[in-house]
C-alpha cells in the first residue's frame, strides 16, 4: 500500500472514529441519592430524640424541612436536642410557649445551609437560622471552638452548650446532637420585651422559608468538564503526533 493510502486511512480514522469515541460517556454519571433524605429516619436511628421528632411533627417544621431539602441546593444543618435535654428544661417551659413560638423554637434549631462540622467555625457569628427574621428577631447562633479537635461550642445568649455527637454529616443534611435545648434570646432572654403570653402573629413560618441565596462557587459540575477537556487535549495531541509521523 502506498504511503498516501495509509494517510487516507489515518485521516478517515481521525475524522470518523475519534469523534465517535469522544461522544461516548467518559465516566459513569455521579450517582445521586435515590430517595430524598429523611430527617425523621435519621433522628430515629439515634434512639434519643422522641421529643424533638414529636415537635418537628406537631409544628409541621419537619414537613417544611423535607420540602426544602428536596428543593434547595444549599442543604441544611439541624441541631437535635436529646430527650434528656428537653427533660432538663424548667417544667412548663414548652407549654408556656404559644404554638407560634414553639414553631420559632424548632426553626431556631435549623440552619438553611449544609455545614460540615469544621465549617461551622468558619461561618461568621451570629449565624442565621431558619427562625431568623421571625417577628424581626435575629435568632442567630454563635459558634466557637477548635476545628482540630472537633470541639464546637454553641451559644444562644441564654444557653451555652456544645456539639456532643454527629448523627449525620453528608450533603445535603448534617445532624448534630446537643444536650441542651437551644433557647433563643428572642424568646427566653431577660431583655425580651414581649411577654410569652402575647398573642401570636398569624404569619406562617413557611412564608419566611425562602432564605436569600448565598453565593457559592459551583464546583459540582466543574470536575467533569475539566476531565472532558484534558481528555480532548490528549486525543488532539495524539492526532498531531501521528500526523507529523505520517508526513515523513
Ligand atoms: C443528579 O443531580 C443533578 C443535580 O444535583 C441533576 O442535574 C441530575 O439530573 C441528577 N441525576 C439523576 C440521575 O437523577
Ligand atoms: C421518614 O421516615 C419515617 C420513619 O422511618 C417514616 O415514618 C416516614 O414515612 C418517612 N417519610 C418519608 C417522606 O419517606
Ligand atoms: C404526626 O402528626 C400526625 C397528625 O398531624 C399524626 O397522624 C402522626 O402519627 C404523627 N407522626 C409522628 C411520627 O408522630
Ligand atoms: C422532590 O422534587 C421533585 C421535583 O423537583 C419531585 O418530583 C419529587 O416528587 C419530590 N420528592 C419529594 C419526596 O417531595
Ligand atoms: C467550649 O466549652 C467548654 C465548656 O463546655 C469550655 O471548656 C471551652 O473552653 C469552650 N471552648 C471555646 C473555644 O469556647
Ligand atoms: C455572637 O457573636 C457576635 C459577633 O462576634 C457578638 O456580637 C454577639 O455578642 C455574640 N452573641 C452571643 C450570644 O455570644
Amino acid at each position: 500500500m502506498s504511503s498516501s493510502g495509509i494517510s487516507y486511512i489515518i485521516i478517515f480514522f481521525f475524522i470518523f472514529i475519534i469523534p465517535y469515541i469522544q461522544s461516548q460517556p467518559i465516566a459513569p454519571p455521579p450517582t445521586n441519592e435515590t430517595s430524598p433524605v429523611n430527617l425523621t429516619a435519621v433522628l430515629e436511628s439515634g434512639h434519643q430524640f422522641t421529643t424533638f421528632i414529636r415537635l418537628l411533627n406537631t409544628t409541621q417544621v419537619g414537613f417544611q424541612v423535607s420540602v426544602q431539602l428536596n428543593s434547595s441546593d444549599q442543604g441544611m444543618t439541624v441541631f437535635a436536642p436529646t430527650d434528656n435535654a428537653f427533660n432538663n428544661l424548667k417544667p412548663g417551659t414548652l407549654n408556656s410557649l404559644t404554638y407560634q413560638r414553639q414553631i420559632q423554637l424548632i426553626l431556631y434549631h435549623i440552619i438553611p445551609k449544609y455545614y460540615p462540622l469544621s465549617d461551622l467555625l468558619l461561618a461568621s457569628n451570629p449565624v442565621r437560622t431558619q427562625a431568623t427574621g421571625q417577628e424581626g428577631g435575629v435568632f442567630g447562633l454563635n459558634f466557637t471552638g477548635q476545628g482540630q479537635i472537633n470541639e464546637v461550642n454553641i451559644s444562644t445568649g441564654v444557653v451555652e452548650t456544645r456539639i456532643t455527637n454527629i448523627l449525620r454529616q453528608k450533603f445535603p443534611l448534617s445532624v448534630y446532637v446537643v444536650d441542651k435545648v437551644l433557647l433563643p434570646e428572642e424568646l427566653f432572654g431577660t431583655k425580651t420585651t414581649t411577654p410569652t403570653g402575647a398573642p401570636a402573629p398569624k404569619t406562617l413560618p413557611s412564608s419566611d422559608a425562602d432564605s436569600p441565596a448565598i453565593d457559592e462557587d459551583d464546583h459540582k459540575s466543574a470536575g467533569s468538564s475539566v476531565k472532558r477537556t484534558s481528555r480532548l487535549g490528549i486525543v488532539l495531541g495524539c492526532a498531531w503526533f501521528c500526523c507529523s509521523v505520517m508526513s515523513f
Side-chain angles (χ1 to χ4, degrees), residues 41-230:
V42 172
L43 291 171
E44 276 180 357
S45 73
H47 300 294
Q48 48 174 343
F49 305 100
T50 49
T51 311
F52 191 53
I53 291 171
R54 181 171 55 77
L55 285 166
L56 282 167
N57 190 11
T58 57
T59 58
Q60 296 183 16
V61 170
F63 174 71
Q64 190 186 318
V65 165
S66 65
V67 170
Q68 222 166 316
L69 273 177
N70 192 23
S71 61
S72 145
D73 57 0
Q74 294 289 312
M76 289 192 140
T77 300
V78 173
F79 300 96
T82 58
D83 289 332
N84 254 336
F86 282 101
N87 290 338
N88 288 337
L89 287 175
K90 259 193 302 176
T93 303
L94 283 184
N95 290 338
S96 73
L97 296 176
T98 61
Y99 179 58
Q100 188 63 30
R101 283 168 184 224
Q102 288 186 11
I103 293 173
Q104 291 172 359
L105 176 67
I106 300 307
L107 290 175
Y108 187 60
H109 287 73
I110 301 168
I111 299 177
K113 184 175 188 312
Y114 168 77
Y115 282 102
L117 189 61
S118 52
D119 285 9
L120 279 173
L121 300 174
L122 304 177
S124 72
N125 288 329
V127 177
R128 46 178 296 142
T129 66
Q130 195 78 346
T132 296
Q134 293 265 319
E135 294 182 62
V138 177
F139 285 99
L141 290 170
N142 277 13
F143 299 95
T144 53
Q146 292 170 287
Q148 304 93 320
I149 56 170
N150 277 353
E151 181 184 86
V152 177
N153 288 3
I154 307 177
S155 171
T156 72
V158 176
V159 168
E160 301 255 345
T161 187
R162 62 189 196 90
I163 292 173
T164 56
N165 216 336
I166 299 172
L167 214 50
R168 181 195 152 103
Q169 185 180 221
K170 182 166 182 275
F171 190 84
L173 174 69
S174 50
V175 181
Y176 301 119
V177 180
V178 288
D179 52 19
K180 283 186 187 165
V181 180
L182 305 178
L183 302 177
E185 209 163 16
E186 284 75 4
L187 300 185
F188 296 92
T190 48
K191 288 178 292 186
T192 60
T193 48
T194 39
T196 48
K202 290 287 175 281
T203 50
L204 279 171
S206 52
S207 63
D208 194 53
D210 41 338
S211 52
I214 300 163
D215 283 333
E216 261 200 2
D217 299 335
D218 184 17
H219 30 163
K220 268 167 261 162
S221 57
S224 67
S225 75
V226 165
K227 248 184 262 162
R228 209 177 303 264
T229 310
S230 64

Side-chain angles (χ1 to χ4, degrees), residues 16-29:
F16 296 102
I17 307 297
I18 296 290
Y20 173 75
I21 293 170
Q22 274 293 294
S23 69
Q24 298 306 298
I26 289 159

